[in-house]
Amino acid sequence: MSKKKKKHEDFMFFVPDQGEGAAKYIVIVLKVLMLIGTSIGALCFGILGPIAIWIGEYDPSVTGNPAILTWLITSCIYIVGTFVIMLGHSRIAAIIDCAAAIGSLVTYYLFVTNAADPELSVGPTTLYMPCIALTVLAVVIAMLINIPKWLDRKAAEARAQAPSILSHDDDDE
């Protein structure tokens, strides 16, 4: 028995399934952007921001706002989504990031409805709302990886169902 050895000539960013053709390089660039965005938006602002608000001497209407907790939870969900996409599960990561985007919108709603001060009514939107861009990146990555596979599968099914014009079966004889 001969064992097939995988060639590691191509650059792999965590997983071998990166897409095909030019999409492969676009996916790698998008994954790098996603790592950068997650480290800034979710790790720095999303984890340290709520902790700084809780520890700092802020207005009790701000520190007691449940939006601070949803902001922290949503940021953790974005981090999980990025981790999952780096493992190669792009569809699952897109679903996780869509749930996190809903969490960001819930955080916005909680800031708007629970703030006593009108200036604090939208909260630090410049810190937690840019994470929605991570959802867009996850969905684009999932599409770039999975749409060519889906098209190939549909083409193979169409070829299997189509009659061959090269067959020698003649009904005229």
Side-chain angles (χ1 to χ4, degrees):
M1 287 187 176
S2 65
K3 294 182 180 179
K4 292 184 179 180
K5 294 183 180 181
K6 293 184 179 181
K7 293 182 181 180
H8 293 288
E9 296 172 4
D10 293 337
F11 175 72
M12 290 189 306
F13 193 55
F14 289 101
V15 293
D17 188 18
Q18 302 288 341
E20 299 172 0
K24 177 178 184 174
Y25 301 105
I26 294 170
V27 166
I28 291 171
V29 168
L30 291 177
K31 282 186 176 184
V32 169
L33 289 174
M34 191 165 191
L35 276 175
I36 293 168
T38 302
S39 61
I40 293 170
L43 282 173
C44 291
F45 297 142
I47 303 284
L48 299 178
I51 292 172
I53 289 173
W54 280 327
I55 293 174
E57 296 179 16
Y58 288 97
D59 183 9
S61 68
V62 175
T63 57
N65 193 337
I68 304 296
L69 182 62
T70 60
W71 179 15
L72 181 67
I73 292 169
T74 300
S75 298
C76 292
I77 293 171
Y78 275 117
I79 293 168
V80 169
T82 300
F83 184 72
V84 169
I85 207 162
M86 294 305 162
L87 291 176
H89 304 287
S90 58
R91 284 180 274 179
I92 296 170
I95 292 168
I96 290 171
D97 279 0
C98 287
I102 292 169
S104 291
L105 296 175
V106 168
T107 301
Y108 177 78
Y109 174 76
L110 290 173
F111 269 120
V112 169
T113 58
N114 291 329
D117 185 2
E119 290 185 16
L120 296 174
S121 66
V122 292
T125 55
T126 57
L127 299 180
Y128 65 84
M129 289 303 268
C131 281
I132 291 179
L134 296 175
T135 303
V136 173
L137 285 174
V139 169
V140 169
I141 290 170
M143 287 173 38
L144 287 173
I145 291 174
N146 293 310
I147 287 178
K149 291 179 186 178
W150 180 75
L151 291 174
D152 288 344
R153 195 171 33 239
K154 288 292 184 185
E157 288 174 4
R159 282 192 302 271
Q161 292 175 356
S164 175
I165 60 171
L166 299 176
S167 67
H168 295 289
D169 296 337
D170 288 333
D171 293 335
D172 297 336
E173 294 178 6

